Amino acid sequence: MAESIVEPKLTLRQVACERAAPAKLWRIVWSVSNLAADALTIISVRLPHGKFKAAERSFAPAFELAAGATKEFISHVDCDEPAGLVTENAFVIIHCQWRGAAWRIFVRIRVKVNAAGAPAAATELITTQRIGFSGIPN
């Protein structure tokens, strides 16, 4: 019997990075793929870590990611760290709608700053949480 998916499933990877103004900002292109059999709608994204940070970006309009589809989005990330620095436990937090419910998807990333000072993020773990599951809204 096939396993029923009970939460949204996706992948996230950094596909490009270039310096933006001001100098400590980086324009990072992310690729997100929906691995679930149902579409999901991405509402916003934020990166809250102090060494790899971007304010919440609300997509207006929110974008739908069909089952099996891949799309790209951009974050302007504040990362002004020395070459060689590795930041553990940074996160990309995605707010989305899936099967009529609001979800947060937590993408734990490891960020290494290369010799040119550019951050390179690698996904380590993805977990999900339905918003309001504990009885506390948003």
Side-chain angles (χ1 to χ4, degrees):
M1 179 193 288
E3 182 180 336
S4 174
I5 296 177
V6 296
E7 59 189 25
K9 299 272 187 199
L10 56 77
T11 62
L12 182 73
R13 66 185 178 87
Q14 178 182 321
V15 294
C17 179
E18 62 185 29
R19 193 169 293 280
K24 66 181 183 172
L25 285 181
W26 295 91
R27 181 183 178 274
I28 298 182
V29 180
W30 303 94
S31 175
V32 59
S33 298
N34 181 3
L35 303 180
D38 297 300
L40 63 86
T41 302
I42 296 182
I43 299 165
S44 67
V45 176
R46 65 187 170 104
L47 292 85
H49 195 284
K51 293 183 179 182
F52 192 75
K53 185 176 188 97
E56 184 167 23
R57 177 178 177 198
S58 295
F59 297 101
F63 68 88
E64 185 169 310
L65 200 55
T70 299
K71 289 191 178 183
E72 292 182 350
F73 66 89
I74 296 168
S75 292
H76 287 88
V77 178
D78 183 344
C79 183
D80 189 24
E81 301 302 321
L85 181 89
V86 175
T87 299
E88 304 283 351
N89 295 320
F91 280 89
V92 178
I93 302 173
I94 300 170
H95 178 201
C96 70
Q97 286 283 325
W98 184 72
R99 290 186 175 174
W103 290 80
R104 280 192 193 88
I105 300 176
F106 299 89
V107 182
R108 189 175 78 200
I109 55 176
R110 181 177 190 265
V111 182
K112 184 171 184 182
V113 178
N114 68 22
T123 297
E124 293 194 322
L125 179 69
I126 299 176
T127 58
T128 60
Q129 181 181 74
R130 188 174 52 80
I131 295 173
F133 80 97
S134 64
I136 301 171
N138 211 358

